[in-house]
């Protein structure tokens, strides 16, 4: 190749500049905990509404002590994949406890939530099969669907009539419906019983991603499926229940739970499980402590519910001319849609100037024209913290 010839690599700086112009360039912040719901962000102390640590357990002393004790016993690494030498006694105990906590027959523990969904979906369906996906599903579900090579049918968000029409028209023998339980950018909860009824009617398997409901919803925080009354004796073999362990559980990783034979199949066929190094036992040990704390954390869940209600009541009468819209949600995910990318970034900056960090979410994470602030509430937030956020948003609104 001639030294004067251009390369496609030369296009990358211009592409980055285009992202900047469209207000879509993302920047990482360097953070450190600063107590309660506060973070040091690039060295600046801010009241944060950006963490998925919904129960405030990430810094809980019982979890930290369990991790320290496990480090002394197991070291810091797992040493291999789960099917070689990485399935430690701690990881094995965690799988049994996760199944018991979710009230489902068996669980499989993964090192990351993204790897769980991108791995298990191709293990369930493939070429010639049919997959049905909610339009607002998380990226890991979307990517898992693409990797499966199944025929993908995308139905409008939460439109179960449209889903039924697609299921009824599909000639495929194997059908898989995938959906968030609580949608990560909107905060709404899918109608799980109605979704399962469709799967029963059309001989489909249902994969639910409860990343944002596990630990928060249901009796003792057992999740959205338990809240719907579809665990224990009422569990269906048609449901695979997936949840992450780095949000309300406060640590890291994920699991999938369901029918014993289905979980065994996933263990045998999921490439992101078979060919990846297992999560370190110290994390499994911290998670065992987390499950015990979560089960007894009704006080934290009540406090969190109070903060959700406080925020929604406080933002109920924002000036209509702004075009801001708080989406319906009774979960810790509260989405304030503002419209353009530029407006969302300006509002984020306006809050930061008042000492708050609330992230602006833009396409492709959300549809074009629906850029928003994703307000994540936590049991770590006090009543005064939420009052501060409401006042800061009103101050920004008055300046427009």
């Amino acid at each position: 190749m001639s030294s004067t010839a251009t390369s496609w690599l030369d296009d990358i700086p211009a592409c980055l500049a285009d992202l900047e112009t469209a207000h879509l360039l993302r920047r990482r912040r360097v953070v450190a905990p600063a107590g309660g719901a506060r973070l040091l962000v690039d060295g600046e102390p801010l009241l944060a509404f950006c963490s998925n640590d919904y129960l405030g357990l990430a810094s809980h002393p019982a979890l930290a002590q369990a991790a320290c004790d496990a480090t002394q016993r197991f070291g810091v690494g797992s040493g291999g994949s789960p099917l070689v030498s990485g399935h430690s006694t701690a990881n094995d105990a965690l799988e049994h406890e996760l199944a018991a906590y979710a009230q489902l027959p068996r669980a499989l523990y993964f090192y990351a939530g993204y790897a769980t969904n991108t791995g298990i979906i191709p293990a369930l369906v493939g070429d010639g099969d049919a997959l049905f996906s909610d339009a607002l599903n998380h990226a890991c579900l979307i990517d898992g669907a693409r990797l499966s090579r199944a025929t993908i049918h995308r139905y409008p968000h939460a439109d179960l009539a449209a889903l039924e029409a697609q299921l009824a028209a599909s000639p495929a023998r194997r059908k898989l419906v995938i959906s968030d339980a609580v949608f990560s950018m909107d905060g709404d909860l899918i109608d799980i019983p109605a979704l399962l009824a469709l799967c029963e009617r059309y001989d489909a398997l249902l994969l639910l991603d409860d990343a944002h409901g596990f630990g928060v919803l249901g009796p003792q925080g057992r999740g959205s499926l338990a809240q719907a009354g579809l665990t224990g004796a009422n569990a269906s073999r048609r449901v695979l229940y997936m949840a992450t362990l780095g949000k309300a559980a406060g640590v890291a990783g994920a699991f999938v739970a369901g029918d014993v034979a289905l979980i065994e199949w996933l263990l045998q066929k999921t490439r992101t499980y078979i060919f990846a190094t297992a999560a370190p036992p110290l994390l499994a040990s911290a998670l065992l402590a987390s499950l015990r704390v979560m089960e007894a954390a009704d006080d934290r869940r009540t406090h969190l519910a109070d903060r959700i209600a406080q925020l929604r009541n406080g933002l109920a009468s924002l000036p209509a001319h702004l075009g801001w819209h708080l989406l319906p949600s009774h979960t810790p995910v509260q989405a304030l849609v503002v419209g353009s990318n530029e407006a969302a970034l300006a509002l984020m900056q306006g809050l930061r100037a008042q000492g708050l960090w609330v992230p602006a979410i833009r396409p492709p994470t959300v549809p074009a024209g629906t850029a928003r602030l994703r307000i994540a509430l936590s049991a770590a937030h006090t009543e005064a913290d939420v009052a501060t956020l409401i006042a800061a948003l009103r101050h920004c609104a008055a300046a427009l």
Side-chain angles (χ1 to χ4, degrees), residues 189-210:
L189 176 66
I190 197 67
D191 186 343
I192 296 174
L195 202 55
L196 178 57
L198 287 180
C199 291
E200 293 280 2
R201 190 175 306 151
Y202 294 100
D203 191 22
L205 179 66
L206 173 61
L207 171 60
L208 281 176
D209 179 338
D210 199 26

Side-chain angles (χ1 to χ4, degrees), residues 267-337:
L267 185 153
Q268 298 296 329
K269 292 293 183 180
T270 303
R271 294 175 65 85
T272 55
Y273 182 82
I274 297 168
F275 299 110
T277 300
L282 69 92
L283 296 182
S285 299
L287 284 163
L288 285 165
S290 175
L291 290 178
R292 290 189 287 272
V293 174
M294 282 200 301
E295 188 172 19
D298 283 347
D299 57 337
R300 290 175 182 257
R301 283 182 282 272
T302 298
H303 177 80
L304 177 57
D306 289 344
R307 302 289 71 75
I308 294 168
Q310 178 189 357
L311 179 75
R312 297 195 66 82
N313 290 336
L315 298 183
S317 58
L318 286 171
H321 74 274
L322 295 174
W324 296 357
H325 176 51
L326 188 64
L327 297 182
S329 168
H330 297 289
T331 72
V333 179
Q334 297 292 315
L336 183 64
V337 177

Side-chain angles (χ1 to χ4, degrees), residues 84-293:
V84 179
S85 62
H87 189 57
S88 73
T89 54
N91 294 37
D92 189 64
L94 177 61
E95 287 187 345
H96 286 89
E97 290 299 320
L98 285 168
Y101 190 82
Q103 298 176 326
L104 294 168
R106 187 178 175 187
L108 192 62
Y109 169 46
F110 284 74
Y111 61 91
Y114 211 100
T116 306
N117 282 338
T118 56
I120 64 177
I121 293 172
L124 294 167
V125 290
D127 188 29
D129 299 328
L131 185 147
F132 304 83
S133 177
D134 189 290
L136 295 187
N137 275 340
H138 189 268
C140 61
L141 289 171
I142 295 169
D143 288 351
R146 290 169 175 165
L147 287 169
S148 75
R149 300 184 181 179
T151 301
I152 299 172
H153 304 269
R154 188 168 177 262
Y155 59 92
H157 175 51
D159 188 340
L160 300 191
L163 171 60
E164 180 167 20
Q166 292 176 355
L167 286 166
S170 174
R173 181 170 183 266
R174 293 199 296 185
K175 304 179 183 72
L176 174 65
V177 176
I178 60 175
S179 178
D180 285 5
V182 174
F183 286 83
S184 62
M185 292 299 133
D186 288 40
D188 56 327
L189 176 66
I190 197 67
D191 186 343
I192 296 174
L195 202 55
L196 178 57
L198 287 180
C199 291
E200 293 280 2
R201 190 175 306 151
Y202 294 100
D203 191 22
L205 179 66
L206 173 61
L207 171 60
L208 281 176
D209 179 338
D210 199 26
H212 301 275
F214 183 70
V216 175
L217 302 179
Q220 295 83 48
R222 298 179 194 274
S224 300
L225 195 63
Q227 179 171 279
L230 294 171
T231 59
N234 296 321
S236 169
R237 66 172 184 159
R238 292 187 182 277
V239 177
L240 278 170
Y241 176 79
M242 178 271 183
T244 53
L245 300 167
K247 297 179 175 65
V251 187
F255 73 98
V256 60
D259 177 74
V260 171
L262 274 174
I263 298 301
E264 180 64 27
W265 177 258
L266 294 178
L267 185 153
Q268 298 296 329
K269 292 293 183 180
T270 303
R271 294 175 65 85
T272 55
Y273 182 82
I274 297 168
F275 299 110
T277 300
L282 69 92
L283 296 182
S285 299
L287 284 163
L288 285 165
S290 175
L291 290 178
R292 290 189 287 272
V293 174

Side-chain angles (χ1 to χ4, degrees), residues 32-39:
R38 284 162 174 76
L39 291 172

